[in-house]
Every structure is written in C-alpha cells, then in structure tokens.
C-alpha cells in the first residue's frame, strides 16, 4: 500500500487514516507497544533479507551501483541498523530520571519518551533504499506510524520498497 495506490483518496484522508492508527498505538500499554514495535521490525528484517538479490538488482538498475557498493552502503547498512535497533529500542523507550532543580525539591523529575504519531518520510533518489528504510526503522522503533514517499527517480527501488511495506504492514500502519 502506498500513496500512489490511493488515487481515489486525497492526502488529508490518507493522513487521517494514519492518525487513527497512531491513536490506537498510543492507547496500548508500553509493553504492548514494545511488542508491536519488535514484531514490526522483525517482519521488516525478514522481508528485506529474503529480497537481497532484488534490492541489489534494483539499485543497479536505478543508479548503476555495483553490488559491493549497494550492499555496503544501502542493504548492509539497513540490516546493521535493524539489528542495532532491535537490541536497543526497549531501553530507548524507558523513562529516564534527570536532575530536579533545587527550587522544586522534594519533587523528582523524569523524561518520558512518547511516540509523536504520524511521520512523513520523503526519500531522495541517491540512496533510495537506505534513506527510505533508515528513517522508517527509527519511526517504528519510537512507536510511530509513517507515510513513506519514495523517490520517483529510482523507480525499481521505490517499487521494491513499496512491496516490502505492503507485506510488512498490510493493515496500513505504514503507507
């Protein structure tokens, strides 16, 4: 599912649907939200891993990138980012204690990490795989939904990214 597939709907309607998904996610407990995030990231990782050859071929087709460069700077980069995020995102979501100003004693202070809601990701043409999915990984690990607009100047890679999105989020948490 992507923005081009919804030609009968306008952008405000698409965004409203994303906001409704975001509201549902915000209503989850932290543990349920973390399970959704982990499940989403694991499905994304699996979907990317089974398409390694397609990703490298799409990057070759769109940009003429040699396999090694495409693997190192795009495909491998994203897998490394996913693995790191899967190890760390639970810690990133936990509240953090911080110093309380003397004037407010005996109160205590903490930073509460909350999802922002719906995120727009506009991917450029020069690193179409990395700069589509890298920000998406960050948005999902933070508990957000996303509207992803791949570049029209890298059609093969954009089509592949859209295929991955449809597979991983069929319910429309990411469009």
């Amino acid at each position: 599912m992507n923005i081009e597939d919804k030609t009968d709907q306008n952008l405000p309607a698409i965004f409203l649907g994303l906001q409704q998904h975001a509201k549902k996610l915000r209503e989850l407990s932290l543990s349920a939200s973390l399970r959704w995030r982990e499940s989403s990231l694991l499905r994304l990782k699996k979907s990317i891993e089974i398409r390694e050859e397609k990703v490298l071929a799409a990057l070759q087709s769109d940009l003429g990138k040699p396999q090694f460069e495409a693997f190192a700077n795009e495909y491998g980069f994203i897998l490394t980012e996913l693995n790191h995020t899967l190890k760390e995102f639970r810690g990133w979501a936990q509240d953090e204690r911080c110093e309380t100003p003397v004037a407010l004693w005996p109160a205590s202070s903490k930073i509460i990490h909350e999802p922002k809601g719906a995120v727009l990701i506009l991917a450029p043409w020069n690193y179409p795989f990395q700069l589509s999915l890298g920000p998406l990984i960050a948005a999902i690990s933070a508990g957000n939904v996303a509207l992803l607009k791949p570049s029209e100047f890298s059609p093969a890679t954009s089509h592949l990214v859209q295929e991955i999105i449809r597979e991983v989020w069929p319910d429309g948490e990411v469009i």
Side-chain angles (χ1 to χ4, degrees):
M1 193 181 298
N2 69 42
I3 197 165
E4 284 83 13
D5 292 343
K6 299 195 169 224
T7 53
D8 59 329
Q9 295 184 13
N10 58 19
L11 195 54
I14 293 169
F15 190 69
L16 182 62
L18 278 174
Q19 287 181 316
Q20 290 170 345
H21 281 293
K23 184 178 181 213
K24 289 178 191 174
L25 289 175
R26 277 194 302 271
E27 291 171 355
L28 296 175
S29 66
L30 179 59
S31 61
S33 175
L34 291 174
R35 283 192 303 273
W36 176 81
R37 298 174 201 189
E38 181 177 36
S39 170
S40 291
L41 292 170
L42 287 170
R43 288 191 323 267
L44 178 61
K45 181 180 176 184
K46 181 180 176 185
S47 184
I48 290 169
E49 286 176 335
I50 64 174
R51 289 177 173 83
E52 177 180 351
E53 290 179 20
K54 286 183 177 182
V55 170
L56 299 178
L59 291 167
Q60 169 66 36
S61 170
D62 288 340
L63 304 170
K65 286 192 179 189
Q67 272 197 337
F68 179 77
E69 181 185 351
F71 184 89
N73 294 330
E74 301 231 25
Y75 181 82
F77 182 91
I78 288 299
L79 285 182
T80 301
E81 184 75 17
L82 266 167
N83 289 330
H84 175 71
T85 301
L86 282 164
K87 287 180 189 173
E88 302 293 338
F89 82 97
R90 289 180 181 275
W92 297 336
Q94 299 303 314
D95 296 346
E96 293 179 48
R97 290 223 171 265
C98 56
E99 290 187 34
T100 302
V102 176
L104 299 177
W105 284 0
S108 63
S109 302
K110 63 182 172 180
I111 299 170
I112 300 172
H113 299 280
E114 296 177 335
K116 294 294 184 191
V119 176
L120 172 62
I121 301 168
L122 299 173
W125 64 271
N126 57 341
Y127 287 88
F129 192 73
Q130 180 201 118
L131 294 177
S132 292
L133 297 181
L136 180 61
I137 292 167
I140 296 299
S141 70
N144 298 299
V145 297
L147 173 59
L148 175 59
K149 170 61 176 84
S151 174
E152 63 275 10
F153 297 112
S154 51
T157 307
S158 295
H159 177 74
L160 190 57
V161 167
Q162 292 167 6
E163 181 181 306
I164 291 168
I165 298 303
R166 282 186 202 107
E167 179 183 309
V168 176
W169 293 282
D171 296 333
E173 294 96 342
V174 176
I175 296 177

